[in-house]
Amino acid sequence: MRRALVFGLITLVCSVFVALRLEVRTPITEFLPRDEKTGLLELARELSDAPQARVVVFTLTASTPEAHHKAAATFAAELGKSGLFEWTRGGVSSEDEQQFYALLFPARVGLLHLPEGTGPVPDSFLEQRIVAMKERLAGPLGALERRLAPDDPLGGFVSLLEAQSRSRGQLRVEDRQLVSEDGRWSVVFAATNATPFDSAAQLKVEAAVEAAVVRARASDASVKLEWSGLNRFALEGEHSVRGDIERISSLSLLGIFVLYLFVFRSFREPLLVLLPIGFGCLVATAACQLVFGFVHGLALAFGSAIIGVAEDYSTHYFAHRLAAPASEHNEQLMRRLWPGMWLGGATTIAGIATLFGSGFRGLQQMAMFGAMGVLGALLSTRYVLPALSRKTPREKTTQLSFFGRRVVTRIADRRVLALVFVGPSLLALSLGLPKLHFDDSLAALRTKAPLLDAENERVQQRLGRGTKSRLVVALGADDEQALARSEVVLARLAPLERAGTVKSLRSVSTLLPSRATQQARWGRLRDDPTFVPRLHEVLARQGFVASAFAPFEDALAKPPGLLTPAQLSNTSLAAAWLSPFRA
């Protein structure tokens, strides 16, 4: 009985630990192998938990553009109040414009894309930029251009505005609100505080989204929301895994309970057989949570197979108890059975433990879950069941055992009857083997969610993005090195975009060049003794007075203003300019 109390205490401790700390996740990256040679798979794991993975996109529509603009503003404000989001962005505010000007205008020359090469910029480039300035002065934003032109005749700041607009893809700004190209949907971006695989936090996020859209519908019942994010797929995967576990375990336990009830004609054995099963699953869950920091959904699904193993030990004991003489008490019987029972359990644990050497962290967690589950079931069978099971055997002969002996006798007399049992298996093998194929794709591990996939595709189309996008990563020891390498990547891919091989290309280098590139652009203009005279000639040909642009010449003579990631990171521009590209 003292042993049973010890197991009861262990059960209590594990139950409290699991209740307080259990975190179920379903990241496919846990089934990527170790890759110490290139490090790319480790990078994939890091990116799955990077800030980009926390970004969620919301699209809202209503009966009129004004209605969904208003709904989007209300929706974004409600999300911000929830405290579950690091930031929300649905448009361009006056504060954004002020920060944009204060931060980027001093760095305008270094951010201006000059023609390729290192020598003096050609006259054709200067002519093109001055003509563009002249057109802007005559356009609807002429008043703004008249303020900017004396300091920026080459339009470096305007180029930044254009680049920032291109980085939005097909989105545009309408009444300070981001909208889809057709103007039918308002768009709101947000980043959750929690990782997408934190199911408890993401359930709160879903609830906050529902509450926010209800608030947005208060002024217009026609408001409709469609949204997409990695967190939704993670939650859907967890719900699917939980559903599978509940189905499999419930049916398995029900079958075991009914069979035990029929064989032993008592509720004691069916109830006691659940103890090793439950104890094994509880210990396995607690062990995985303690070692890995979370429990993978597929490890739980794999753990449901423990039920078929854990009940074997109880069945072995109860069957012998049924046939053992009354003089042999429970502990004596268990000691007699224990060597064989322990050997069977040890070989099972050893077989499952081989998954530890797979190099896949997901499989390693499944191995721990299976090994600890079997060990817990084995030990609880050894030390708990003898104390709780009945002390004397029941009647040895049952209708089931009588029927079983008759079936065995008949098969022994007429062996052809064995085909009744093995025939269906042989038929299934003959039909199934030709269709058997091996699929090592990671996509096969993802839970199929047709409705969610369709909604995600619609949202991505509104953003002007394809669902078959690709990610290129430039690695660096620091931001400067990563930016420099990103420029090399962009230089290689840009011709593919011009040729139409790549539909659209987004890069941080378009908005934020490295310090070395910015300094080179400043130097290319400042250190060219022919630049200012040639600029004066172009200005004169286009009808401008060169002296009006003296502030620009003075700026070239001063130390260059450079834009750095550190400057952006502390502003609202970071969400649009830096966060999507930096990990």
Side-chain angles (χ1 to χ4, degrees), residues 205-257:
V205 167
E206 279 199 340
V209 170
E210 290 295 328
V213 76
V214 168
R215 186 65 181 270
R217 288 187 182 126
S219 57
D220 190 334
S222 67
V223 172
K224 179 183 177 182
L225 170 71
E226 288 192 337
W227 57 299
S228 176
L230 182 57
N231 59 339
R232 296 197 72 190
F233 288 96
L235 272 181
E236 179 66 24
E238 182 184 337
H239 292 160
S240 176
V241 168
R242 285 183 183 272
D244 291 341
I245 293 171
E246 290 173 0
R247 256 190 319 275
I248 294 172
S249 59
S250 297
L251 291 175
S252 299
L253 291 175
L254 179 62
I256 292 171
F257 189 88

Side-chain angles (χ1 to χ4, degrees), residues 409-430:
T409 302
R410 287 288 183 90
I411 293 176
D413 294 339
R414 301 182 62 184
R415 295 184 179 181
V416 70
L417 293 177
L419 292 176
V420 175
F421 297 95
V422 300
S425 300
L426 294 175
L427 179 63
L429 283 173
S430 62

Side-chain angles (χ1 to χ4, degrees), residues 73-219:
T74 303
F75 179 80
E78 290 298 317
L79 292 185
K81 293 177 184 177
S82 69
L84 299 173
F85 294 87
E86 183 179 349
W87 52 262
T88 58
R89 183 172 65 91
V92 181
S93 65
S94 57
E95 179 185 354
D96 291 336
E97 293 175 345
Q98 292 172 2
Q99 285 188 343
F100 196 93
Y101 178 83
L103 196 61
L104 304 181
F105 193 78
R108 61 196 179 280
V109 176
L111 300 177
L112 174 63
H113 291 268
L114 299 178
E116 294 182 2
T118 57
V121 295
D123 290 348
S124 58
F125 173 77
L126 298 179
E127 193 88 35
Q128 177 188 5
R129 303 305 297 180
I130 299 304
V131 169
M133 178 188 66
K134 188 175 182 178
E135 293 175 351
R136 291 194 299 272
L137 286 168
L141 298 179
L144 175 62
E145 183 64 25
R146 280 190 287 274
R147 294 174 53 192
L148 299 176
D151 294 276
D152 189 24
L154 299 183
F157 184 69
V158 174
S159 297
L160 289 175
L161 295 177
E162 294 172 350
Q164 199 272 341
S165 178
R166 287 194 300 271
S167 73
R168 294 196 298 260
Q170 294 182 3
L171 299 183
R172 56 190 176 87
V173 178
E174 191 175 281
D175 296 333
R176 295 188 178 275
Q177 171 63 48
L178 286 172
V179 297
S180 58
E181 188 178 31
D182 58 11
R184 295 178 54 202
W185 294 81
S186 289
V187 180
V188 175
F189 293 90
T192 61
N193 291 323
T195 67
F197 301 107
D198 185 345
S199 57
Q202 294 304 331
L203 285 173
K204 295 179 182 178
V205 167
E206 279 199 340
V209 170
E210 290 295 328
V213 76
V214 168
R215 186 65 181 270
R217 288 187 182 126
S219 57

Side-chain angles (χ1 to χ4, degrees), residues 227-229 232-234 236-237 446 449-457:
W227 57 299
S228 176
R232 296 197 72 190
F233 288 96
E236 179 66 24
R446 191 179 75 84
L451 296 179
L452 196 56
D453 288 338
E455 183 175 348
N456 173 67
E457 186 173 354

Side-chain angles (χ1 to χ4, degrees), residues 360 433-441 444:
F360 296 79
L433 282 176
K435 299 179 180 179
L436 186 67
H437 69 281
F438 182 75
D439 187 357
D440 61 351
S441 169

Side-chain angles (χ1 to χ4, degrees), residues 240-393:
S240 176
V241 168
R242 285 183 183 272
D244 291 341
I245 293 171
E246 290 173 0
R247 256 190 319 275
I248 294 172
S249 59
S250 297
L251 291 175
S252 299
L253 291 175
L254 179 62
I256 292 171
F257 189 88
V258 171
L259 182 60
Y260 263 67
L261 192 62
F262 184 60
V263 172
F264 295 101
R265 294 177 296 156
S266 167
F267 282 100
R268 180 192 289 262
E269 285 79 6
L271 291 176
L272 287 180
V273 76
L274 300 180
L275 289 178
I277 295 173
F279 184 78
C281 290
L282 179 63
V283 170
T285 303
C288 286
Q289 179 65 45
L290 181 64
V291 174
F292 294 95
F294 71 96
V295 181
H296 199 285
L298 291 180
L300 282 176
F302 176 75
S304 62
I306 293 175
I307 294 174
V309 178
E311 62 90 17
D312 286 350
Y313 311 123
S314 304
T315 302
H316 190 63
Y317 170 76
F318 286 133
H320 279 79
R321 178 70 278 177
L322 190 66
S327 59
E328 186 177 28
H329 58 75
N330 292 346
E331 185 61 27
Q332 285 179 319
L333 175 62
M334 181 57 75
R335 289 174 184 169
R336 179 163 61 86
L337 300 177
W338 181 242
M341 194 181 294
W342 168 248
L343 180 61
T347 53
T348 301
I349 293 171
I352 296 174
T354 57
L355 292 175
F356 273 104
S358 65
F360 296 79
R361 293 196 297 191
L363 292 180
Q364 289 171 345
Q365 186 171 149
M366 292 168 68
M368 171 163 281
F369 197 103
M372 292 301 297
V374 171
L375 180 62
L378 184 64
L379 293 178
S380 61
T381 300
R382 168 63 182 88
Y383 295 108
V384 176
L385 286 194
L388 300 180
S389 60
R390 64 179 72 254
K391 307 304 179 183
T392 56

